[in-house]
Amino acid sequence: MDFKEHITDKLTELTGLDRETVSAAMETPPDEKLGDLAFPCFPLAKVMRKAPPLIAQELASKLSADDLIDKVDAVGGYLNFFFNRSVFISDTVSAAMDAGNSWGSADIGRGKTVLVEYSSPNIAKPFHIGHLFSTAIGNSLARIYKFLGYDVQSLNHLGDWGTQFGKLICAYKRWGDPEIIEKDPINELLKIYVKFHEEAEKDPSLEDEAREYFKKLEDGDEEATSLWKHFRDLSLVEFNRVYDMLGVKFDSYNGEAFYSDKMDEVVRLLDEKGLLVESEGAKVVDLSDMDMPPCIILKSDGATIYATRDIAAALYRHRTYSFYKNIYVVGLPQSLHFRQIFETMRRAGWEWSKDCVHVGFGLVKLPGKNMSTRHGDVIFLEDVLNESIEKTRAIIEKNNSAVDDIDAVSKKIGIGAVLYTFLKNSREKDIVFSWDTMLDFDGESAPYCMYGYARGKSILRRAEGIDYSKADLSKAVSDDAYTLVKQLAVFGDAVRDAAEKNEPFYVTRYVTNLVKLFNKFYNTNPIMREDVPEDVKKARLAIVDAVCTVIRSALALLGIDVVESM
């Protein structure tokens, strides 16, 4: 039974207001002692021509307790409703156990396609710690939208085109050693790329040579194209090793190169709309009336740039997927770029451009040089993940924890700890990377949440053989049990908030609070002790079971795997 719906029906009948108005006005009191749900009577003052406190008292006198409502209090201008705790716990836990892994999910996205573009590293460049911000947020959003019933397509818009590939081909032809590059592709390609820039400072003609190689690549030259594909394939092998560690999968790896033959149409369409104007030899869309710099479509030498390719990509995606949302998980420094291309598409008359969304995020800050790495100033993401796994293993061994497979457990906890760090706060907030907080088993961290889950599963293993599937949940009523079950009930709200605002941290905050309340519950409500009556034991076990399922589901939405024991 939906308690809010029940109260909404009662208030609609008493006040004459429509259900939507009543439901929207409902609030959750800041303190549980004030009730479970509150209705502010201030909007009724003009209609009833009475002070809100008097209205609250009058309505309270007409609202009697029933099977779902324990009592109704008038406090100031508010009506405070107290749920029947026994019924609430029984209904919520039973429904959660019946729903299992689908508790909190929805089908609001049925028939709607959401595209999530994220990660998008540059080919032949290091997959560094900064890339994890986009990867963690994008992967989580993709999982959250799927959980709500949307058809989600995860897109990796690789940086695989541009003049830098002319430079790389030039460098490879001069200094590349195929055998060495095959052994350590990204690091070795980076070395010769850096060497190109060093040598070009001494000999500027190298820049001309690089432009010639990229022109050959654009024209489909066989050798240039073969080398480009080779660099791309080598890079994807390296990238996919990291993606496998993170449990990240993509539906498309179409990068900038894929749209290279689709940009002429963009130029033509914008020109036909009368949007292109000449500026210092370049073709641009004037956005001065929006207090923005012009959106450059063609440079003075006739070459296209990022904006042209991104508009071509958006047009292709609209035609291919007819998307409900087209989400770009890209750093905040690119905010102006997206404002420019979205406005350009709007002016082109593409009504669907309003469904393109930039989901920006902050910076990763590294205090000092305290991370071990073989790669000098470049902090490779794979190194960070491996170091987190190693540090986790050391903590487990130091605590003498008896785990069945320390390698697997260390990997899940170590990687989960890194992901949680990137998803624990609002995405626009910068991250200060700290091993101490990341691997804290007692604070707000992945290890803390995973330990709460493992503790619950340990209780359930000890209870093996006890059938609590039809437990009388009214026997579990207590203050801490009620507070815990109330948190259990709002999982779906947290997931919907995360999708609505494209903020995974709503789920992170939810599951962290759930684990905190769970810890308090099992510390004050003994479960497997001999002096606990059998019916109480079964009721509490049912709550533990439901909570464990939701912890696992919530962490999965963050891309974090649980461990059964720690």
Side-chain angles (χ1 to χ4, degrees):
M1 174 66 72
D2 191 316
F3 284 67
K4 183 178 178 180
E5 292 291 311
H6 177 67
I7 293 170
T8 299
D9 289 339
K10 288 198 163 202
L11 287 175
T12 299
E13 184 179 344
L14 278 175
T15 63
L17 296 172
D18 61 82
R19 294 189 83 263
E20 289 73 18
T21 301
V22 172
S23 181
M26 292 286 193
E27 300 176 5
T28 300
D31 188 335
E32 199 173 86
K33 294 176 182 177
L34 295 174
D36 299 301
L37 208 58
F39 177 74
C41 297
F42 305 100
L44 293 170
K46 286 185 179 180
V47 180
M48 300 179 70
R49 297 184 178 181
K50 292 179 182 178
L54 292 176
I55 297 172
Q57 290 175 11
E58 184 178 320
L59 291 175
S61 68
K62 295 178 181 179
L63 288 163
S64 57
D66 58 28
D67 290 344
L68 300 187
I69 307 303
D70 193 47
K71 67 174 179 174
V72 184
D73 283 348
V75 179
Y78 287 85
L79 269 178
N80 291 341
F81 294 85
F82 293 80
F83 298 164
N84 180 317
R85 292 188 169 194
S86 176
V87 174
F88 184 85
I89 289 175
S90 296
D91 283 4
T92 303
V93 175
S94 296
M97 290 181 68
D98 288 344
N101 293 330
S102 64
W103 178 253
S105 66
D107 63 355
I108 57 176
R110 180 179 295 177
K112 298 174 183 175
T113 299
V114 170
L115 311 182
V116 187
E117 176 195 306
Y118 60 98
S119 196
S120 308
N122 291 318
I123 291 299
K125 296 273 184 75
F127 197 160
H128 58 73
I129 184 65
H131 288 117
L132 184 56
F133 221 153
S134 171
T135 307
I137 293 169
N139 181 49
S140 181
L141 287 178
R143 290 166 179 250
I144 286 166
Y145 277 104
K146 282 180 184 176
F147 199 62
L148 295 176
Y150 292 90
D151 174 17
V152 177
Q153 296 292 311
S154 292
L155 313 179
N156 197 334
H157 188 73
L158 295 170
D160 60 359
W161 204 244
T163 54
Q164 68 265 31
F165 288 98
K167 296 176 182 179
L168 188 59
I169 292 171
C170 178
Y172 182 83
K173 296 274 289 181
R174 286 173 174 267
W175 309 294
D177 184 324
E179 289 187 13
I180 294 176
I181 289 174
E182 288 285 343
K183 291 176 183 176
D184 191 4
I186 302 298
N187 201 29
E188 293 302 322
L189 289 173
L190 176 64
K191 281 182 182 177
I192 63 172
Y193 185 74
V194 170
K195 184 175 177 65
F196 171 88
H197 285 279
E198 292 171 348
E199 296 298 322
E201 287 182 9
K202 306 172 192 173
D203 180 7
S205 68
L206 286 176
E207 295 283 359
D208 295 327
E209 187 177 323
R211 278 190 285 272
E212 289 174 11
Y213 273 119
F214 182 56
K215 182 68 167 60
K216 287 182 178 181
L217 181 59
E218 287 187 302
D219 294 340
D221 176 81
E222 186 175 341
E223 182 189 30
T225 301
S226 176
L227 284 173
W228 171 81
K229 285 182 178 177
H230 185 54
F231 299 153
R232 192 179 190 275
D233 291 344
L234 286 174
S235 298
L236 281 175
V237 170
E238 298 293 298
F239 294 163
N240 281 324
R241 187 171 63 247
V242 179
Y243 289 137
D244 287 344
M245 290 179 73
L246 295 169
V248 171
K249 298 185 184 301
F250 292 95
D251 299 294
S252 168
Y253 285 91
N254 288 340
E256 294 178 62
F258 180 79
Y259 303 102
S260 60
D261 64 349
K262 299 171 178 58
M263 290 183 285
D264 288 345
E265 182 189 13
V266 169
V267 177
R268 177 178 59 78
L269 290 174
L270 295 180
D271 199 27
E272 288 174 355
K273 296 284 185 179
L275 293 174
L276 294 185
V277 296
E278 193 165 315
S279 175
E280 299 179 5
K283 292 289 183 72
V284 307
V285 177
D286 183 8
L287 302 175
S288 57
D289 59 326
M290 299 290 290
D291 197 26
M292 283 191 281
C295 182
I296 302 172
I297 302 299
L298 287 176
K299 293 193 292 187
S300 57
D301 62 359
T304 57
I305 64 168
Y306 289 115
T308 328
R309 289 193 280 273
D310 278 346
I311 293 172
L315 186 59
Y316 172 84
R317 292 172 185 177
H318 169 67
R319 290 169 173 169
T320 304
Y321 301 105
S322 188
F323 54 74
Y324 171 73
K325 277 187 186 178
N326 179 24
I327 296 170
Y328 300 82
V329 185
V330 181
L332 284 173
Q334 295 299 314
S335 295
L336 175 60
H337 166 76
F338 284 105
R339 285 172 56 212
Q340 288 175 306
I341 65 169
F342 294 165
E343 177 60 21
T344 296
M345 293 189 294
R346 187 191 70 80
R347 294 186 183 200
W350 300 337
E351 186 269 341
W352 48 265
S353 63
K354 72 180 188 320
D355 302 319
C356 294
V357 183
H358 174 219
V359 172
F361 53 86
L363 302 173
V364 183
K365 297 181 179 179
L366 303 166
K369 293 282 184 180
N370 56 356
M371 242 181 280
S372 64
T373 174
R374 305 186 312 275
H375 306 286
D377 291 335
V378 178
I379 308 298
F380 273 42
L381 176 54
E382 188 173 7
D383 287 348
V384 174
L385 296 176
N386 285 330
E387 186 159 350
S388 185
I389 294 168
E390 289 169 11
K391 287 180 178 292
T392 301
R393 184 188 179 99
I395 292 171
I396 293 173
E397 290 175 339
K398 182 180 178 181
N399 293 338
N400 295 316
S401 299
V403 296
D404 293 334
D405 187 341
I406 192 170
D407 290 333
V409 170
S410 298
K411 184 176 180 180
K412 286 184 178 182
I413 298 174
I415 292 175
V418 177
L419 287 170
Y420 182 100
T421 298
F422 282 77
L423 299 171
K424 67 188 286 188
N425 294 312
S426 170
R427 53 183 161 75
E428 295 191 357
K429 186 175 180 180
D430 292 345
I431 289 176
V432 178
F433 200 91
S434 164
W435 287 119
D436 289 339
T437 56
M438 186 182 298
L439 297 174
D440 184 359
F441 280 64
D442 297 315
E444 293 187 5
S445 65
Y448 173 77
C449 293
M450 297 166 85
Y451 187 63
Y453 172 83
R455 176 74 67 88
K457 295 299 285 186
S458 174
I459 293 170
L460 295 175
R461 283 194 295 272
R462 286 168 56 200
E464 189 174 351
I466 299 176
D467 182 8
Y468 51 84
S469 60
K470 295 181 175 61
D472 179 0
L473 286 153
S474 67
K475 302 297 183 182
V477 176
S478 70
D479 288 347
D480 289 335
Y482 183 60
T483 304
L484 173 62
V485 174
K486 280 179 68 177
Q487 179 73 358
L488 194 70
V490 296
F491 178 41
D493 294 339
V495 177
R496 285 188 289 274
D497 283 343
E500 184 181 329
K501 299 175 178 67
N502 290 311
E503 283 278 20
F505 97 94
Y506 281 97
V507 175
T508 317
R509 183 173 62 186
Y510 169 86
V511 69
T512 305
N513 288 336
L514 181 65
V515 173
K516 285 180 180 176
L517 294 173
F518 181 46
N519 289 343
K520 189 176 181 184
F521 164 76
Y522 66 63
N523 282 324
T524 58
N525 291 260
I527 300 170
M528 296 305 295
R529 239 170 40 193
E530 290 184 5
D531 61 338
V532 177
E534 195 68 13
D535 53 356
V536 174
K537 184 180 295 184
K538 288 181 178 180
R540 290 175 180 171
L541 283 170
I543 292 175
V544 172
D545 193 333
V547 169
C548 283
T549 299
V550 175
I551 293 173
R552 183 177 64 238
S553 294
L555 289 175
L557 294 181
L558 302 174
I560 298 173
D561 290 334
V562 293
V563 294
E564 297 298 311
S565 62
M566 286 174 67

